[in-house]
Amino acid sequence: MSAAGVRARVRAEMTEEIKTVARRHLASDGANLSLRAVARDLGMASSAVYRYFASRDELLTALIIDAYDAVGAAAERATEGVTGHTDRLVAVGLAVREWALAEPYQWALIYGSPVPGYQAPSDTVGPATRVIMMIVSVVRDAFEAGAVTVGPPITGRYADELSAVAAQLGSEIPAQLVGATMATFVHLCGAVSAELFGQLDNTVEDDRPGFFEFQMRGAARLIGLPETRS
Amino acid sequence: MSAAGVRARVRAEMTEEIKTVARRHLASDGANLSLRAVARDLGMASSAVYRYFASRDELLTALIIDAYDAVGAAAERATEGVTGHTDRLVAVGLAVREWALAEPYQWALIYGSPVPGYQAPSDTVGPATRVIMMIVSVVRDAFEAGAVTVGPPITGRYADELSAVAAQLGSEIPAQLVGATMATFVHLCGAVSAELFGQLDNTVEDDRPGFFEFQMRGAARLIGLPETRS
DNA sequence: TGTACATCAGTGAACGCGCGTTCACTGATGTAC
DNA sequence: TGTACATCAGTGAACGCGCGTTCACTGATGTAC
């Protein structure tokens, strides 16, 4: 490896290290991540961090992109070795939930309240769509295999928008199916956030995975996927 | 009115004024609400605020309770004059959504990411349950009127927990129905948060109320309520 | 009704802290000839 | 291979700001007799 290669590698490692420490700080500071605190933990001057990230917001953006990529990758891995369209969908949901439980602060960063004064740049858009894209692809497979009982057609402006989304995906999926698929994603995010943000406290305490799967199977039923036993 | 009554009233008014200004600040600062900034806006010394709230967290708690009460009241008003169990449920959902769109920062305060370092005291629990209680009461009415097609029984530990919730409500509602009702609440919160926090951007832009109602009607179907046209 | 006292709202200074960002700099590492 | 130069990571001081909370205080308002 050339000398320049070494320098680049060391730089990449340092960048990762800053992000790792910053992720730890998400737990205590949430999105008011403090650059100085991160630098302090790394034993370096706060000004040195600016060699790696032009500003606090840029560091935040890097963390957001990493988080979207991590949960997206977890969703994509989830269907490996799983047969049956419904079970594949449920597997994606469970994988997302498990990632979120392991990384609650990263979950809050991407699916929680927006950070005041922070505007996400366009680099985040691609990674942000990985989970929904995975869900769409499971449903599309099922649809193309004839495994979906498509519900009654829908009308109205939102139906047109959903058709436009289908067209954008280059797919023949009908609008009501796109709608049910997006509803599943919305419900999934809601179920994870409800659990993490405390809305389930004092009601479902013990068997949260069970309740989560119950919800995912309900969502699958609305999509028109066949019911299976877990 | 006695002199003491006047003093109490002035005090109550001042308390309200502080909260009103603080609510405005939620927009720019989120949950890192600054007591000093609030005092500045009110033209008073920051120390004066301590006559009304013992600490920043106590002010935050007051805002949280008010927010839960406001969205709860909106949910409770929503069914007035609405007949039909399904439509009553949808009306509750739409009312919650509308409140949230009008008060996005209050929504984020109660249903968004938890505030780092803030522990909600027990006073918030009661107000926090008003929306779900309203949904439960709509479903219970429907069930007792024989208007619900109850789904297949569920088993497992989460089913036991849901039965316990039903018992706590002093109701004969079966566990699967409690589950579907809570799932509706979770989906409702998820749908509102998805819209407010940007998960719907670049997909459903134009007819979000339509898509929201589509989701609520799907949730009603899972509960076993009859389908109606909107 | 008048007076002495207690209560209470609000002030302004201070404590001790933290923050993001900039800037001139040092010294090590890499590059070009 | 050796040397002059350029690049780059990291330092430490500084700027200008904000924060929550405490404390001794002033002055107005209410209360008890």
Side-chain angles (χ1 to χ4, degrees):
Chain A
M1 184 175 279
S2 73
V6 170
R7 189 123 91 174
R9 204 193 57 200
V10 169
R11 188 180 169 80
E13 279 169 7
M14 191 70 217
T15 306
E16 277 309 313
E17 211 169 329
I18 292 171
K19 289 195 291 186
T20 300
V21 172
R23 271 187 277 270
R24 274 210 300 274
H25 276 264
L26 285 178
S28 44
D29 304 335
N32 322 317
L33 185 64
S34 156
L35 263 191
R36 291 184 100 111
V38 170
R40 224 178 291 127
D41 268 26
L42 285 162
M44 72 201 298
S46 62
S47 48
V49 178
Y50 284 82
R51 292 272 161 213
Y52 299 89
F53 298 95
S55 67
R56 197 199 73 120
D57 276 10
E58 201 174 275
L59 172 56
L60 216 49
T61 298
L63 296 182
I64 288 170
I65 290 174
D66 281 7
Y68 276 129
D69 274 327
V71 70
E76 287 159 15
R77 273 195 310 272
T79 57
E80 279 171 21
V82 179
T83 53
H85 303 291
T86 306
D87 288 349
R88 286 169 71 85
L89 183 75
V90 171
V92 170
L94 287 171
V96 169
R97 173 178 174 274
E98 249 152 57
W99 182 86
L101 286 179
E103 302 291 349
Y105 303 102
Q106 291 191 66
W107 175 270
L109 187 63
I110 55 183
Y111 290 112
S113 345
V115 182
Y118 171 81
Q119 180 70 342
S122 57
D123 326 26
T124 60
V125 174
T129 58
R130 285 176 70 173
V131 171
I132 177 73
M133 281 305 174
M134 190 61 209
I135 292 174
V136 165
S137 93
V138 169
V139 172
R140 178 167 41 197
D141 288 353
F143 175 71
E144 287 172 358
V148 177
T149 310
V150 178
I154 53 176
T155 54
R157 285 182 300 136
Y158 80 96
D160 299 341
E161 290 190 284
L162 292 173
S163 300
V165 170
Q168 211 177 324
L169 296 166
S171 169
E172 295 296 316
I173 296 182
Q176 64 269 44
L177 193 46
V178 176
T181 305
M182 288 197 48
T184 298
F185 173 68
V186 167
H187 193 158
L188 162 57
C189 293
V192 172
S193 291
E195 181 170 348
L196 283 181
F197 299 169
Q199 261 87 56
L200 257 46
D201 294 359
N202 308 317
T203 46
V204 182
E205 292 276 8
D206 195 43
D207 187 15
R208 288 173 169 185
F211 181 54
F212 181 84
E213 187 169 334
F214 168 80
Q215 292 181 86
M216 285 299 101
R217 291 190 179 275
R221 187 137 45 98
L222 285 180
I223 287 175
L225 288 168
E227 315 227 6
T228 61
R229 292 289 113 229
S230 52
Chain B
M1 183 176 281
S2 72
V6 170
R7 187 123 93 178
R9 205 192 57 197
V10 169
R11 189 181 169 80
E13 279 169 8
M14 191 68 215
T15 306
E16 277 309 313
E17 210 170 330
I18 292 172
K19 289 196 290 186
T20 300
V21 172
R23 272 188 276 270
R24 274 209 300 272
H25 277 266
L26 285 178
S28 44
D29 304 336
N32 321 319
L33 185 64
S34 156
L35 263 192
R36 291 184 98 110
V38 170
R40 223 179 290 127
D41 268 26
L42 285 162
M44 72 200 300
S46 63
S47 48
V49 177
Y50 285 82
R51 292 272 161 212
Y52 299 89
F53 297 95
S55 67
R56 197 199 72 120
D57 276 10
E58 202 175 275
L59 172 56
L60 216 48
T61 298
L63 295 182
I64 288 170
I65 290 173
D66 281 7
Y68 276 129
D69 274 327
V71 70
E76 288 160 14
R77 273 195 311 270
T79 56
E80 279 171 20
V82 179
T83 54
H85 303 291
T86 307
D87 288 349
R88 286 169 71 85
L89 183 75
V90 171
V92 170
L94 286 172
V96 169
R97 174 178 173 275
E98 249 152 57
W99 181 86
L101 286 179
E103 302 291 350
Y105 303 102
Q106 290 192 65
W107 175 270
L109 187 64
I110 55 182
Y111 290 112
S113 345
V115 181
Y118 172 82
Q119 180 71 342
S122 56
D123 327 26
T124 60
V125 174
T129 58
R130 284 177 68 173
V131 171
I132 177 71
M133 281 307 173
M134 190 60 209
I135 293 175
V136 166
S137 92
V138 169
V139 172
R140 179 169 38 198
D141 288 352
F143 175 70
E144 288 172 357
V148 177
T149 311
V150 178
I154 54 176
T155 54
R157 283 183 301 134
Y158 79 97
D160 298 342
E161 291 191 282
L162 293 173
S163 300
V165 170
Q168 212 176 321
L169 295 166
S171 168
E172 295 296 315
I173 297 183
Q176 64 269 42
L177 192 46
V178 176
T181 305
M182 287 198 47
T184 298
F185 173 67
V186 166
H187 193 159
L188 161 56
C189 292
V192 171
S193 291
E195 181 170 348
L196 283 182
F197 299 168
Q199 262 88 56
L200 258 43
D201 294 359
N202 308 315
T203 45
V204 181
E205 292 275 8
D206 195 42
D207 187 17
R208 288 172 169 186
F211 181 54
F212 181 85
E213 188 169 335
F214 168 80
Q215 292 181 85
M216 284 300 100
R217 290 190 179 273
R221 187 135 48 97
L222 285 180
I223 288 175
L225 288 168
E227 315 229 4
T228 60
R229 292 291 112 229
S230 52

